[in-house]
Amino acid sequence: MNEVIARKWYSVAEVAVMLGYGVTETKFLVLSGQIRSVKDGGSRRILSEWVDDYIRPVVDGQAA
């Protein structure tokens, strides 16, 4: 039986790739609180819902 385990959170570098941004720009978004994150040991982790929370107002602003 092959069970697929869904990822729960992502690193800043992975979110940068998801958004098509550079890592530096994504770190700024995280540190400024525009993208929510939690500290896990020495790393920042980001839930996919938090990426969606950042994207939603950007997309909604473009639709107007």
Side-chain angles (χ1 to χ4, degrees):
M1 181 167 98
N2 291 336
E3 185 175 337
V4 176
I5 299 173
R7 302 261 323 252
K8 297 296 183 186
W9 56 18
Y10 299 90
S11 69
V12 172
E14 290 169 323
V15 171
V17 171
M18 291 164 74
L19 295 173
Y21 293 170
V23 173
T24 302
E25 182 176 0
T26 305
K27 284 181 182 179
F28 172 77
L29 294 171
V30 168
L31 294 175
S32 67
Q34 294 179 63
I35 296 178
R36 189 173 166 196
S37 70
V38 294
K39 188 93 170 183
D40 178 45
S43 302
R44 289 262 163 208
R45 299 294 178 196
I46 303 164
L47 295 174
S48 61
E49 300 93 69
W50 297 342
V51 177
D52 293 341
D53 291 343
Y54 167 73
I55 293 171
R56 192 169 297 108
V58 174
V59 172
D60 290 346
Q62 295 292 318

